[in-house]
Coordinates of all heavy atoms in Angstrom, one line a residue:
I16 N 7.6 1.0 -5.6 CA 6.9 0.0 -4.8 C 5.4 0.5 -4.6 O 5.3 1.5 -4.2 CB 7.7 -0.2 -3.5 CG1 9.0 -0.6 -3.6 CG2 6.9 -1.3 -2.6 CD1 9.9 -0.6 -2.3
I17 N 4.5 -0.4 -5.0 CA 3.1 -0.1 -4.6 C 2.7 -1.2 -3.7 O 2.8 -2.5 -3.9 CB 2.2 -0.2 -6.0 CG1 2.7 0.9 -7.0 CG2 0.7 0.0 -5.6 CD1 2.1 0.9 -8.3
L18 N 2.1 -0.7 -2.6 CA 1.8 -1.7 -1.6 C 0.2 -1.8 -1.5 O -0.5 -0.8 -1.8 CB 2.1 -1.1 -0.1 CG 3.6 -0.8 0.0 CD1 3.9 0.2 1.1 CD2 4.4 -2.0 0.1
Y19 N -0.2 -3.0 -1.3 CA -1.8 -3.1 -1.1 C -2.1 -4.1 0.0 O -1.3 -4.9 0.4 CB -2.4 -3.6 -2.3 CG -2.3 -5.0 -2.8 CD1 -3.3 -5.9 -2.3 CD2 -1.3 -5.5 -3.6 CE1 -3.1 -7.3 -2.6 CE2 -1.1 -6.8 -3.9 CZ -2.1 -7.7 -3.5 OH -2.0 -9.0 -3.7
C20 N -3.3 -3.9 0.7 CA -3.8 -4.8 1.6 C -5.3 -5.0 1.3 O -5.5 -5.1 0.1 CB -3.7 -4.1 3.1 SG -4.5 -2.5 3.2
G21 N -6.1 -5.2 2.2 CA -7.5 -5.5 1.9 C -8.2 -4.3 1.3 O -9.0 -4.3 0.4
G22 N -7.9 -3.1 1.9 CA -8.7 -1.9 1.4 C -7.9 -0.6 1.3 O -8.4 0.4 0.8
G23 N -6.6 -0.7 1.7 CA -5.7 0.4 1.5 C -5.4 1.2 2.9 O -4.8 2.4 2.9
F24 N -5.7 0.6 4.0 CA -5.4 1.1 5.3 C -4.1 0.6 5.8 O -3.2 1.5 6.1 CB -6.6 0.8 6.3 CG -7.9 1.5 6.0 CD1 -8.8 0.8 5.0 CD2 -8.2 2.7 6.4 CE1 -10.0 1.2 4.8 CE2 -9.4 3.2 6.0 CZ -10.4 2.5 5.2
R25 N -3.9 -0.6 5.9 CA -2.7 -1.2 6.5 C -1.5 -0.8 5.5 O -0.4 -0.5 6.0 CB -2.8 -2.7 6.6 CG -3.7 -3.2 7.7 CD -3.9 -4.7 7.7 NE -4.8 -5.1 6.6 CZ -5.0 -6.3 6.3 NH1 -4.6 -7.4 6.9 NH2 -5.9 -6.6 5.3
S26 N -1.7 -0.9 4.2 CA -0.8 -0.5 3.3 C -0.2 0.9 3.4 O 0.8 1.2 3.2 CB -1.2 -0.8 1.8 OG -2.4 -0.1 1.5
A27 N -1.1 1.9 3.9 CA -0.7 3.2 4.1 C 0.2 3.3 5.3 O 1.2 4.0 5.3 CB -2.0 4.1 4.4
L28 N -0.1 2.5 6.3 CA 0.8 2.5 7.4 C 2.2 1.9 7.1 O 3.1 2.5 7.4 CB 0.3 1.6 8.6 CG -1.1 2.1 9.2 CD1 -1.6 1.0 10.1 CD2 -0.9 3.4 9.8
V29 N 2.2 0.9 6.2 CA 3.5 0.3 5.7 C 4.3 1.3 4.9 O 5.4 1.5 5.0 CB 3.3 -1.0 5.1 CG1 4.6 -1.5 4.4 CG2 2.7 -2.0 5.9
A30 N 3.5 2.0 4.0 CA 4.2 3.0 3.1 C 4.9 4.0 3.9 O 6.0 4.4 3.6 CB 3.2 3.7 2.2
D31 N 4.3 4.4 5.0 CA 4.8 5.5 5.8 C 6.1 4.9 6.5 O 7.2 5.7 6.6 CB 3.8 5.9 6.9 CG 4.2 7.2 7.7 OD1 4.8 8.0 7.2 OD2 3.8 7.2 9.0
N32 N 6.1 3.8 7.0 CA 7.3 3.2 7.6 C 8.4 3.0 6.6 O 9.6 3.2 6.9 CB 7.1 1.9 8.3 CG 6.5 2.1 9.6 OD1 6.7 3.2 10.3 ND2 6.0 1.1 10.3
L33 N 8.1 2.6 5.4 CA 9.1 2.4 4.4 C 9.8 3.7 4.0 O 11.0 3.7 3.7 CB 8.5 1.6 3.1 CG 8.2 0.2 3.3 CD1 7.8 -0.5 2.0 CD2 9.2 -0.7 4.1
Q34 N 9.0 4.8 3.9 CA 9.6 6.0 3.6 C 10.5 6.4 4.8 O 11.6 7.0 4.5 CB 8.4 7.1 3.6 CG 7.7 7.0 2.2 CD 6.6 8.0 2.1 OE1 6.0 8.2 1.0 NE2 6.2 8.7 3.0
K35 N 10.2 6.2 6.0 CA 11.0 6.4 7.2 C 12.4 5.7 7.0 O 13.4 6.1 7.6 CB 10.4 6.1 8.5 CG 9.2 7.1 8.8 CD 8.5 6.7 10.1 CE 7.3 7.5 10.3 NZ 6.4 6.9 11.4
M36 N 12.3 4.4 6.3 CA 13.5 3.6 6.1 C 14.4 4.1 4.9 O 15.3 3.5 4.6 CB 13.1 2.2 6.0 CG 12.5 1.6 7.3 SD 11.9 -0.1 7.0 CE 13.5 -1.1 6.8
G37 N 13.9 5.1 4.2 CA 14.6 5.6 3.0 C 14.1 5.3 1.7 O 14.7 5.5 0.7
Y38 N 13.0 4.5 1.6 CA 12.5 4.2 0.3 C 11.8 5.5 -0.2 O 10.9 6.1 0.5 CB 11.4 3.0 0.4 CG 12.3 1.7 0.5 CD1 12.7 1.3 1.9 CD2 12.6 0.9 -0.7 CE1 13.5 0.1 1.9 CE2 13.4 -0.3 -0.4 CZ 13.8 -0.6 0.9 OH 14.4 -1.8 0.9
T39 N 12.0 5.8 -1.4 CA 11.6 7.2 -1.9 C 10.5 7.1 -2.9 O 10.0 8.1 -3.3 CB 12.9 7.9 -2.6 OG1 13.3 7.1 -3.7 CG2 13.9 8.1 -1.5
N40 N 10.2 5.9 -3.4 CA 9.2 5.8 -4.5 C 8.1 4.8 -4.1 O 7.9 3.8 -4.8 CB 9.8 5.5 -5.7 CG 8.9 5.7 -7.0 OD1 7.8 6.2 -6.9 ND2 9.4 5.3 -8.2
V41 N 7.4 5.1 -3.0 CA 6.5 4.1 -2.4 C 5.1 4.7 -2.4 O 4.9 5.8 -2.2 CB 6.8 3.8 -0.8 CG1 5.8 2.8 -0.2 CG2 8.3 3.3 -0.7
S42 N 4.1 3.9 -2.7 CA 2.7 4.3 -2.6 C 1.9 3.2 -2.2 O 2.2 2.0 -2.3 CB 2.2 4.9 -4.0 OG 2.3 3.9 -5.0
S43 N 0.7 3.6 -1.6 CA -0.3 2.7 -1.3 C -1.6 2.7 -2.3 O -2.0 3.7 -2.7 CB -0.8 3.1 0.2 OG -1.9 2.4 0.7
M44 N -2.0 1.5 -2.4 CA -3.1 1.3 -3.4 C -4.4 1.4 -2.7 O -4.9 0.6 -2.0 CB -3.0 0.0 -4.3 CG -4.2 0.0 -5.3 SD -3.9 -1.6 -6.3 CE -4.6 -2.9 -5.2
D45 N -5.1 2.6 -2.8 CA -6.4 2.7 -2.2 C -7.4 1.7 -2.9 O -7.4 1.6 -4.1 CB -6.9 4.3 -2.5 CG -8.1 4.5 -1.6 OD1 -8.1 4.2 -0.5 OD2 -9.0 5.1 -2.3
G46 N -8.3 1.2 -2.1 CA -9.3 0.2 -2.5 C -8.7 -1.2 -2.3 O -9.4 -2.1 -2.1
G47 N -7.5 -1.3 -2.3 CA -6.8 -2.7 -1.9 C -7.3 -3.8 -2.8 O -7.8 -3.7 -3.9
Y48 N -7.1 -5.0 -2.2 CA -7.5 -6.2 -3.0 C -8.9 -6.4 -3.2 O -9.3 -6.8 -4.3 CB -7.0 -7.4 -2.1 CG -7.3 -8.8 -2.7 CD1 -6.5 -9.2 -3.9 CD2 -8.2 -9.6 -2.3 CE1 -6.6 -10.4 -4.6 CE2 -8.4 -10.9 -2.9 CZ -7.7 -11.3 -4.1 OH -7.9 -12.5 -4.7
S49 N -9.7 -5.8 -2.2 CA -11.1 -5.9 -2.4 C -11.6 -5.0 -3.6 O -12.4 -5.5 -4.4 CB -11.9 -5.5 -1.1 OG -11.6 -4.2 -0.8
G50 N -11.0 -3.9 -3.8 CA -11.3 -3.0 -5.0 C -10.8 -3.7 -6.3 O -11.5 -3.6 -7.3
W51 N -9.7 -4.4 -6.2 CA -9.1 -5.0 -7.5 C -10.1 -6.2 -7.8 O -10.5 -6.2 -9.0 CB -7.7 -5.7 -7.0 CG -7.0 -6.3 -8.2 CD1 -7.1 -7.5 -8.7 CD2 -6.1 -5.5 -9.1 NE1 -6.2 -7.7 -9.7 CE2 -5.6 -6.5 -10.0 CE3 -5.6 -4.2 -9.2 CZ2 -4.7 -6.2 -11.0 CZ3 -4.7 -3.9 -10.1 CH2 -4.2 -4.9 -11.1
V52 N -10.5 -7.0 -6.9 CA -11.4 -8.1 -7.1 C -12.8 -7.5 -7.7 O -13.3 -8.1 -8.7 CB -11.7 -8.9 -5.9 CG1 -12.8 -9.9 -6.2 CG2 -10.4 -9.6 -5.5
K53 N -13.2 -6.5 -7.1 CA -14.6 -5.8 -7.5 C -14.5 -5.4 -8.9 O -15.4 -5.4 -9.7 CB -14.9 -4.6 -6.6 CG -16.2 -4.1 -6.7 CD -16.5 -3.0 -5.5 CE -17.9 -2.7 -5.4 NZ -18.1 -1.7 -4.3
A54 N -13.2 -4.9 -9.4 CA -13.1 -4.4 -10.7 C -12.9 -5.6 -11.7 O -12.9 -5.4 -12.9 CB -11.8 -3.5 -10.8

């Protein structure tokens, strides 16, 4: 599971919570949607 938000801040918080729930292969996309659009 790769999570993204606007820039990679909120998705980091979500990744932390999903790991606490037992999800073992979670990451947050640094740069988020704004970085994706910029690219």
Side-chain angles (χ1 to χ4, degrees):
I16 302 170
I17 299 172
L18 306 161
Y19 77 90
C20 59
F24 296 88
R25 292 172 287 176
S26 56
L28 296 174
V29 173
D31 192 31
N32 275 346
L33 293 187
Q34 286 180 171
K35 289 173 185 172
M36 293 176 69
Y38 286 84
T39 58
N40 194 3
V41 180
S42 59
S43 171
M44 185 175 80
D45 188 44
Y48 184 71
S49 59
W51 187 270
V52 170
K53 195 173 186 180

